[in-house]
Amino acid sequence: MSGFRIVNRTRKASAQQIAAYQDLPVANISDAMQRLTSGGANLRPYHAGGYMAGVALTVKCRPGDNLLVHYALNIAEPGDVIVVDAGGDVTNAIVGELMLTYAAKKRIAGVVINGAVRDSRSIRNNALPVYAAGVTHRGPYKDGPGEVNVPISINGMVIGAGDLIVGDDDGVLCVPFDHIDEIHALASARHSGEIAKLQAIAEGRNKRDWVEKKLRELGCIFPT
């Protein structure tokens, strides 16, 4: 039944691809994707800190209900990132300390909730990457419906099962399965360029004349 089903994941990012993205700034990856994709500024990190990279295991659930998230946790494999579209509603928490402790035990790479979490102190004190839209003490229901391993969308960011999910202090980003290697090459080049610019700033070699040049090209009027 559409809206209440489990789908098999037929493809996923490889361990080698995941390793290649480790510690690559999400901002550089976003630039390489033309800055058109974002999970939204409301998806914030709540964990103690650290980079997230792993394979998307997607869940679409009714706001405030986590029955299908429990099933996803049961089938999740080490290195997976459980990505949940709970409609962005923060009335009821979708996950808390118990589920996240089990996720860490299973060596899940991270959890992304377009909805709320609870037990935020425990989340802050642990390294398991957790991104969410908010915090509430109110617990979830367990009645369904929902779907696992179907395409979902969070604030316009489309996520398919098996896509690569990355996250750092700036937020979360999905790299589509078919473009993982291409985007990695572009993002790595941008990152290397930024490192060179930082070195130039440190050595006093950076040039800023491009700003006035750009303004003049756009027709900006300067004082005579």
Side-chain angles (χ1 to χ4, degrees):
M1 178 192 305
S2 180
F4 205 180
R5 58 178 175 158
I6 313 297
V7 178
N8 288 329
R9 186 169 55 184
T10 59
R11 61 183 190 178
K12 64 178 185 177
S14 69
Q16 293 77 16
Q17 289 173 319
I18 294 168
Y21 271 83
Q22 286 290 347
D23 297 323
L24 188 61
V26 171
N28 293 144
I29 303 170
S30 178
D31 287 347
M33 296 175 67
Q34 306 299 323
R35 304 165 186 162
L36 292 175
T37 301
S38 171
N42 61 323
L43 280 181
R44 304 309 309 152
Y46 283 90
H47 54 289
Y51 196 83
M52 177 180 71
V55 181
L57 195 170
T58 61
V59 183
K60 186 174 182 63
C61 63
R62 183 167 61 90
D65 191 291
N66 74 353
L67 178 60
L68 273 295
V69 183
H70 275 283
Y71 184 81
L73 187 55
N74 284 354
I75 66 171
E77 302 171 355
D80 281 350
V81 176
I82 298 176
V83 188
V84 182
D85 176 17
D89 182 82
V90 294
T91 306
N92 297 81
I94 298 298
V95 299
E97 183 177 10
L98 291 175
M99 294 177 72
L100 294 172
T101 299
Y102 183 57
K105 180 69 174 177
K106 293 192 71 173
R107 294 186 290 123
I108 303 304
V111 177
V112 179
I113 307 291
N114 187 26
V117 296
R118 67 176 182 177
D119 305 319
S120 57
R121 176 180 293 182
S122 172
I123 296 171
R124 281 196 307 272
N125 290 334
N126 284 281
L128 175 69
V130 177
Y131 294 80
V135 174
T136 180
H137 55 78
R138 297 178 64 178
Y141 301 99
K142 295 175 174 59
D143 302 307
E147 299 178 301
V148 173
N149 281 330
V150 299
I152 61 174
S153 176
I154 298 178
N155 297 315
M157 180 175 70
V158 178
I159 303 142
D163 287 347
L164 176 65
I165 304 295
V166 293
D168 62 14
D169 289 343
D170 286 343
V172 175
L173 186 63
C174 174
V175 182
F177 177 85
D178 290 333
H179 302 285
I180 292 174
D181 294 331
E182 168 196 350
I183 291 171
H184 177 266
L186 294 171
S188 294
R190 284 182 174 271
H191 186 43
S192 296
E194 284 198 357
I195 292 173
K197 289 177 182 178
L198 288 169
Q199 184 66 29
I201 291 171
E203 297 173 357
R205 297 184 290 103
N206 60 308
K207 297 180 179 180
R208 304 288 301 168
D209 55 341
W210 68 269
V211 179
E212 182 175 334
K213 180 180 179 182
K214 181 69 172 181
L215 289 169
R216 292 188 182 282
E217 287 176 356
L218 293 172
C220 180
I221 299 173
F222 284 80
T224 56

